[in-house]
Amino acid sequence: MAAVMEKERKLDLGDRESIYQPEDKSQIFPYQPKFKNFAEERQHLKERLVAACRAFALEKFDYGFAGHLTVRDPEHPNLYWTNPMAVHFDQVKVSNLILADHEGNILEGQHALNRAGFVLHAAVHEKHPDIVAMCHAHTVYGTAFAALGKPLDPISQDAAAFFEDHMVLAEQAGQVAVEDNSGYNVAGSLKKVKAIIHRNHGLLTVSRHSIEAAAFWFIALERCCKQQMLVEATGIKPVLLSPETARYSREHVGSEYIGWLHFQPIWGYLKENQPDMFE
């Protein structure tokens, strides 16, 4: 019966990817770019990676040198671009990004590579070739929520974006990933979801679409963890969305495309106010 209801509630979008896309294509609206060559696409990805780092700075996701964001190179998928070690998110620029391989060799860039970031991200990228981007930072609410070892509840439309699309990972919980095999152990446990609550460690998000989607879903996941902890602090049991409603909402507010779209206002703000990120 639920399956029938789900089918009936599907919307006819025509050739649109989302209900949020205007039917009148002459209206101003962000569209995903098309590239003439790998060099053009690479520059685009590097700029968006820097913007993702700057967005993390806006959200105050910094914690010393912890936190790393990665995106695959479009021409060489066994290589990935990442933020430099011991550089604040707010000071990441196109010129100080690092290009590394799965073994941790730096092929481009002068800065060192974050060892823990390399071990985990390289393993995930290698074991999951469909994942193009990954984000992790040691945030206040995400780290606190991760200590509970439980998934998010569908308490709102925001949380519904992660309904049945995130997992709690207990593999090597709380153990710093500095040994090569530790990253592979974690990567081998991942399911096909966009978000991971790593117990006693924190949040990770991945995207099979873009660095923008991975970055926005990390911001959203941290926010949802905060919301649930605030609700639980009242001592009152929240009213949860039904599975059918949560799935319906996830379809329209939780896709990879929606994550990309949500990041566009952030991109516009940063492009206007932080031009030094292109240096």
Side-chain angles (χ1 to χ4, degrees):
M1 183 64 177
V4 173
M5 290 176 60
E6 196 74 12
K7 185 176 181 181
E8 289 177 349
R9 297 174 75 182
K10 293 282 185 181
L11 298 179
D12 182 8
L13 299 176
D15 62 350
R16 292 178 297 161
E17 193 163 353
S18 165
I19 190 65
Y20 297 105
Q21 284 180 293
E23 295 185 56
D24 181 354
K25 294 186 178 180
S26 68
Q27 295 174 343
I28 296 175
F29 186 83
Y31 287 95
Q32 299 175 83
K34 295 181 180 180
F35 306 101
K36 297 176 182 178
N37 50 54
F38 285 125
E40 189 175 287
E41 184 175 4
R42 180 177 296 113
Q43 182 65 21
H44 174 90
L45 291 177
K46 290 169 70 175
E47 290 178 0
R48 270 60 183 183
L49 174 60
V50 172
C53 291
R54 295 297 182 97
F56 275 30
L58 290 177
E59 296 289 340
K60 301 188 184 303
F61 288 168
D62 58 289
Y63 178 66
F65 61 78
H68 17 270
L69 295 77
T70 55
V71 63
R72 283 187 192 274
D73 184 82
E75 184 177 10
H76 307 288
N78 61 323
L79 306 179
Y80 64 88
W81 295 92
T82 187
N83 54 305
M85 171 69 171
V87 173
H88 194 279
F89 286 136
D90 194 41
Q91 295 179 312
V92 177
K93 304 177 181 181
V94 170
S95 59
N96 61 22
L97 291 177
I98 297 169
L99 179 65
D101 61 18
H102 293 307
E103 286 70 47
N105 300 308
I106 297 175
L107 299 139
E108 212 173 300
Q110 298 181 328
H111 287 263
L113 190 68
N114 186 315
R115 177 67 183 176
F118 151 68
V119 168
L120 185 54
H121 285 232
V124 170
H125 281 298
E126 187 172 1
K127 279 189 170 289
H128 301 273
D130 58 327
I131 291 176
V132 300
M134 181 175 176
C135 298
H136 170 61
H138 289 206
T139 55
V140 176
Y141 293 98
T143 302
F145 190 83
L148 303 177
K150 65 177 185 177
L152 285 173
D153 292 328
I155 61 172
S156 65
Q157 288 184 10
D158 293 348
F162 297 98
F163 186 69
E164 297 178 337
D165 200 13
H166 75 289
M167 64 178 290
V168 176
L169 181 61
E171 184 74 37
Q172 296 188 229
Q175 181 175 315
V176 179
V178 293
E179 298 179 20
D180 291 345
N181 64 343
S182 61
Y184 287 111
N185 290 339
V186 172
S189 301
L190 297 186
K191 298 176 182 177
K192 194 163 186 177
V193 294
K194 68 171 176 274
I196 298 100
I197 298 172
H198 193 196
R199 201 188 72 201
N200 305 109
H201 180 199
L203 310 179
L204 302 99
T205 53
V206 298
S207 175
R208 296 155 183 87
H209 179 279
S210 60
I211 180 61
E212 296 101 309
F216 178 77
W217 289 128
F218 188 96
I219 294 169
L221 185 58
E222 168 74 3
R223 180 185 174 92
C224 286
C225 289
K226 180 179 181 179
Q227 289 173 346
Q228 183 163 335
M229 293 181 76
L230 287 172
V231 169
E232 291 182 352
T234 68
I236 302 171
K237 187 175 181 180
V239 177
L240 304 183
L241 302 181
S242 70
E244 292 76 25
T245 298
R247 291 188 191 105
Y248 180 82
S249 292
R250 185 197 63 220
E251 179 183 351
H252 296 292
V253 302
S255 70
E256 294 265 41
Y257 170 78
I258 292 299
W260 174 87
L261 186 59
H262 267 306
F263 193 83
Q264 299 317 299
I266 301 172
W267 165 254
Y269 173 83
L270 290 169
K271 184 179 179 182
E272 180 78 17
N273 292 281
Q274 299 187 22
D276 66 302
M277 68 182 185
F278 300 114
E279 295 174 0

